[in-house]
Amino acid sequence: MNGSIWEGEFVTLSAGEVVMRDQMGARIIIKPEQLSAADQLYLEKVIPPRLSIDVSKTTDNTRSRANSESVRCLVSMKQTDNRPYTGKLTAVLVVMNEDIKTGSTSVENKKEYSFTLPEKRGEVVEFKGDRADFYRKSGNSSRSGKAYSGYILVIWDRFGNPIAIKSNRDSFAAEATKLARPERTKRING
């Protein structure tokens, strides 16, 4: 605090303030910005930002054939707590398909984004996934092809911890950290 060295035990982060206990057991409340850089890094590790996340799907059935569907997911998110969070985050968006004949699901495509949250709380960060094309084939009493099955979104902190998971299916959410693990990063504006 203010350049001085003070020793205490972290208790919690509440209403945007750090609650600590000093060596005598007294509670001390300070703003996160008053902590040293190392202590702020510790806060990032133990308390990730709270995020509000929305994933919507746009569908285009006019591209070519009547039995085709082109899908693209749009992710919108914003930080909902007031604590500054400057750490780099990576979002991994996975679009899943379903085999029409067998009902089995698999990854159709996967896109990664690396970003930081805006300084102004409540500002929205948006990004789009790649377009995924699905085709249904009919013939001689059998149907085959692939259909859109859903999405998985995992937000990872810079330490490799998943801090938010969103999916349209519980079965996908259970496998999210395996299917949506970061591989590469692509910088987005914002």
Side-chain angles (χ1 to χ4, degrees):
M1 299 186 321
N2 299 334
S4 62
I5 297 176
W6 177 83
E7 202 170 307
E9 177 185 2
F10 172 75
V11 175
T12 190
L13 182 72
S14 178
E17 296 179 319
V18 178
V19 179
M20 300 180 73
R21 184 165 287 123
D22 70 12
Q23 293 175 342
M24 303 300 287
R27 283 175 44 128
I28 307 293
I29 298 173
I30 61 173
K31 297 267 184 219
E33 304 85 51
Q34 293 176 289
L35 295 172
S36 69
D39 288 339
Q40 288 181 24
L41 186 60
Y42 172 78
L43 276 183
E44 283 185 23
K45 283 184 180 180
V46 297
I47 304 173
R50 278 185 262 150
L51 303 172
S52 170
I53 301 171
D54 181 53
V55 179
S56 60
K57 172 186 95 157
T58 59
T59 304
D60 180 4
N61 294 336
T62 62
R63 295 195 74 74
S64 57
R65 300 182 296 207
N67 291 337
S68 69
E69 175 182 50
S70 182
V71 173
R72 180 172 273 176
C73 291
L74 172 68
V75 176
S76 300
M77 67 180 170
K78 63 183 175 179
Q79 185 176 357
T80 59
D81 58 357
N82 290 324
R83 182 175 57 86
Y85 189 89
T86 58
K88 186 176 179 181
L89 298 172
T90 300
V92 180
L93 176 64
V94 176
V95 173
M96 301 294 289
N97 69 48
E98 183 173 341
D99 184 285
I100 293 170
K101 205 174 239 185
T102 66
S104 64
T105 58
S106 61
V107 173
E108 179 67 25
N109 67 33
K110 178 176 169 179
K111 189 146 189 185
E112 252 180 70
Y113 300 92
S114 181
F115 64 99
T116 55
L117 293 169
E119 284 185 38
K120 185 176 178 187
R121 302 300 167 263
E123 282 187 10
V124 175
V125 174
E126 289 186 332
F127 50 88
K128 290 181 183 178
D130 290 333
R131 189 180 84 223
D133 295 316
F134 301 96
Y135 302 98
R136 293 176 178 88
K137 300 173 188 171
S138 298
N140 298 34
S141 74
S142 68
R143 294 182 56 172
S144 64
K146 293 180 182 179
Y148 171 78
S149 184
Y151 67 87
I152 302 167
L153 175 70
V154 180
I155 309 296
W156 301 84
D157 68 13
R158 63 178 158 173
F159 309 107
N161 301 310
I163 63 167
I165 297 174
K166 187 159 179 97
S167 178
N168 67 321
R169 287 190 177 183
D170 291 340
S171 61
F172 292 164
E175 297 291 316
T177 57
K178 292 178 189 170
L179 296 173
R181 184 163 293 285
E183 293 172 10
R184 61 179 176 77
T185 57
K186 180 179 179 183
R187 185 84 179 142
I188 63 170
N189 296 334

